[in-house]
Amino acid sequence: MRMVDLIEKKRNGGELAEEEIRFLIGGFTDGSIPDYQMAAFAMAVCFRGMTDRETAVLTDAMMRSGDVVDLSRFGDKTVDKHSTGGVGDKTTLIVAPIVSCLGGKMAKMSGRGLGHTGGTVDKLESIPGYQTTLPVDRFMQQVEDIGVAVIGQSGNLTPADKKLYALRDVTATVDSLPLITASIMSKKLAAGAHSIVLDVKIGSGAFMKTQADGERLAQSMVSIGKACGRKVVAVMTNMDIPLGTNIGNALEVQESVEVLRGGGSEDLRTVCRVLAANMLHLCNGWDLDYAERQVDESVASGRAFAQMKRWIAAQGGDTRVLDDVSLLPQASVRETLESPRSGYLTHMDAQLIGEASAVLGAGRQTKTDPIDYAAGIVLRKKTGAYVRQGEPLAVLHTNRPGALPEAKAAFLRALSWGDQAPQAQPLIYGIVK
Ligand code: URA
C-alpha cells in the first residue's frame, strides 16, 4: 500500500477502506509516513469529508495508536465528561464531586488551556500541592476509594492524535468535522469510561461558532461513541458569553467553590446541573428529573462540597484554600475597569475576553509559556445588563501591570452596545442522545 495512492483516492472523493485508514494511522504514528503526506491527506479530508464509516474507523485507529485505559473493574459506573473548550468553563471542578458523591466513578484525564481557552489541569494546579500526575495504581485506587481522580493526559494516550493535531494546527486543517470528531472521540474512548457526556460549546468563545455546526459535531460524536459501544449524550451549551463570572485559574476554583456551597451565578449552576444530571442518567440509569433533584440536594446538603475536599486532599491539595479562598494565589494588582458609556451590553465576544485574560497571565500562547494562576478577570456585568457610564464592568487581576493597557483594550473591543436590551440567548441549545 502506498500513502500517495490514499491521498489521491481521498482527493478524488473516494471512500477509503478500513485497512487503508489503519495503514495510514499506523504509519503516521510510527513515523514511516512523513508529516507532509499526512498534511496533504488532512487537507483532502477538509475538502472531501469522510463517510460515517470512515470516521468511525479513523477514530478507532487513533484510539488504538497508544494506551487504552481499562476501567472494567468499575463495571458500568464509569462516566466521563468532555467540553469542546471555552472561556470561564470550570464545569469539571463542579460536576466531578457532584457526580462522584452520587455513585458515578470519574477516572478523568483532563487537558491544559491553550490560546483563549482554559484547561482543567491548570485550574487544579492553582490549588497548592495538587498533583496532576499519579501512578496508574494510585489513580485507580483513588477512584475505587472515593469515586473521583482527575489527572493530566497520560504520555502515551492517543499519540496519533497528538501528532496529527499539532500538524493540523499549522496546516489550516483543524476545521474539519470528521477530523475533529476523531480527535476528540479517540481520546475519550481511550480514557476508558463506559458513559460519556459531551459538552459541545457553541458561540463566539467556542470552536463551533454556529448552532448548525455545533449540532453536526454533536451528532457525529454521539454516533461514533455509540458505534464503539459507549453510552453517549451531547449537551449543546452557550459559549457566546463566558460561563459564570470568573475567568482565570485560581479565580475559577474560587467560583467553583461558591457553586458547591450553594452560591455562584445562575448560568454556571444551570449548565452544571444539566451536565451532572445527564452523567447520572447514563451511569445510574436515573431519569433526568430525579437526577437534577439529586444534584441540587447534593449541593444543598453540603455533600458535594465535602466530596470536593476529599478529592483535593487525596491528590495532595491544600484543602484550607477551599474553606478560605483568600488563601488561593492572589494577584498583586486588581484594577476595576469602568464603563466608558451608558447603554445595554448587547454582546460580549467570549474569545476576546479569553484573550484579554491570557494577556494578564492566565493563559499561554505556546505550550511552554508559564502561567500565572492568580491572573484573570472577574465580570461585573454580562450580556443583557444595562450599564451606566463609570459603573464597574470587570475587575482585572494580574501580576503584570504592564499588560493592563493591552488587556483593557481587548476587553473593551469585546463589548457591543445598544439602546435596547438584546434578546436573551438560550443557555442549553439542545441535547443529542
Ligand atoms: N479539540 C480536540 O481535542 N481536537 C480537535 O480537533 C478540536 C478540538
Side-chain angles (χ1 to χ4, degrees):
M1 210 177 287
R2 295 190 321 154
M3 182 63 180
V4 65
D5 298 327
L6 306 188
I7 299 169
E8 188 179 346
K9 188 170 179 183
K10 185 44 72 185
R11 188 202 65 195
N12 294 341
E15 180 177 7
L16 298 193
E18 171 162 357
E19 57 277 18
E20 292 173 327
I21 294 173
R22 293 199 187 278
F23 166 81
L24 72 87
I25 290 300
F28 181 57
T29 309
D30 70 22
S32 57
I33 291 175
D35 281 2
Y36 54 82
Q37 285 191 309
M38 196 61 186
F41 178 77
M43 188 58 85
V45 172
C46 282
F47 284 113
R48 293 297 195 168
M50 280 185 145
T51 62
D52 290 350
R53 199 196 52 80
E54 284 178 301
T55 309
V57 175
L58 180 67
T59 306
D60 187 73
M62 284 169 55
M63 171 187 82
R64 292 177 202 281
S65 65
D67 297 340
V68 174
V69 181
D70 179 7
L71 298 177
S72 55
R73 65 196 266 194
F74 304 114
D76 58 4
K77 287 288 181 191
T78 52
V79 58
D80 201 351
K81 175 195 83 79
H82 179 82
S83 153
T84 56
V87 178
D89 178 10
K90 65 281 288 176
T91 51
T92 294
L93 304 187
I94 299 165
V95 301
I98 291 176
V99 169
S100 59
C101 83
L102 292 170
K105 293 282 189 194
M106 288 197 67
K108 186 154 176 52
M109 295 187 188
S110 288
R112 293 188 185 278
L114 189 66
H116 74 281
T117 64
T120 300
V121 167
D122 296 323
K123 292 168 203 190
L124 287 169
E125 283 181 350
S126 74
I127 300 173
Y130 189 94
Q131 301 298 312
T132 51
T133 50
L134 292 179
V136 176
D137 53 346
R138 233 190 97 191
F139 176 68
M140 293 292 188
Q141 193 57 50
Q142 187 177 316
V143 176
E144 179 95 54
D145 293 343
I146 64 168
V148 56
V150 183
I151 57 172
Q153 236 146 53
S154 101
N156 197 36
L157 205 77
T158 56
D161 178 61
K162 242 175 241 157
K163 275 184 89 176
L164 183 55
Y165 192 82
L167 192 62
R168 287 166 58 212
D169 207 18
V170 292
T171 55
T173 53
V174 171
D175 210 3
S176 149
L177 189 80
L179 295 182
I180 296 172
T181 300
S183 168
I184 293 176
M185 291 309 290
S186 63
K187 286 189 286 251
K188 285 294 106 181
L189 295 170
H194 190 70
S195 301
I196 302 166
V197 170
L198 301 160
D199 177 5
V200 177
K201 303 273 185 206
I202 297 171
S204 62
F207 209 61
M208 295 288 135
K209 304 288 183 204
T210 67
Q211 215 172 317
D213 283 350
E215 203 160 326
R216 283 196 313 139
L217 179 62
Q219 299 278 8
S220 167
M221 293 196 296
V222 169
S223 67
I224 297 283
K226 283 189 172 167
C228 294
R230 310 296 170 93
K231 291 191 195 169
V232 191
V233 161
V235 183
M236 294 174 289
T237 66
N238 187 310
M239 186 36 71
D240 208 38
I241 309 169
L243 189 58
T245 55
N246 292 16
I247 302 150
N249 299 287
L251 291 168
E252 293 191 37
V253 172
Q254 178 180 333
E255 193 179 11
S256 305
V257 167
E258 282 164 20
V259 171
L260 288 171
R261 299 180 94 172
S265 48
E266 188 57 36
D267 60 343
L268 178 59
R269 283 206 310 266
T270 300
V271 170
C272 288
R273 182 186 296 113
V274 172
L275 292 173
N278 274 281
M279 292 168 79
L280 292 160
H281 167 66
L282 294 185
C283 71
N284 284 355
W286 292 349
D287 72 57
L288 282 174
D289 286 344
Y290 178 75
E292 288 201 4
R293 286 200 301 278
Q294 291 298 309
V295 168
D296 287 344
E297 193 279 331
S298 75
V299 173
S301 65
R303 276 173 73 198
F305 184 52
Q307 174 72 344
M308 184 188 208
K309 286 190 185 168
R310 219 171 283 128
W311 156 37
I312 300 300
Q315 286 187 239
D318 182 351
T319 55
R320 286 174 304 177
V321 305
L322 305 179
D323 285 319
D324 178 0
V325 291
S326 71
L327 298 174
L328 281 163
Q330 301 290 321
S332 54
V333 178
R334 289 178 190 198
E335 182 142 319
T336 301
L337 182 56
E338 290 170 355
S339 180
R341 54 167 288 175
S342 298
Y344 282 100
L345 260 180
T346 54
H347 186 241
M348 308 176 91
D349 185 304
Q351 176 161 345
L352 272 175
I353 292 175
E355 283 167 12
S357 175
V359 166
L360 293 169
R364 37 172 100 73
Q365 300 307 327
T366 71
K367 280 196 164 145
T368 50
D369 283 350
I371 211 157
D372 176 357
Y373 295 120
I377 298 176
V378 177
L379 302 174
R380 287 286 165 79
K381 301 285 181 198
K382 290 182 67 167
T383 301
Y386 182 81
V387 188
R388 284 178 216 291
Q389 186 174 6
E391 264 194 284
L393 284 170
V395 182
L396 311 187
H397 293 235
T398 189
N399 290 307
R400 301 177 191 166
L404 281 168
E406 187 186 342
K408 277 187 200 171
F411 189 92
L412 291 174
R413 259 201 325 279
L415 310 182
S416 306
W417 298 90
D419 296 330
Q420 297 201 329
Q423 223 182 348
Q425 296 180 358
L427 257 184
I428 309 288
Y429 288 106
I431 297 181
V432 175
K433 294 196 172 172

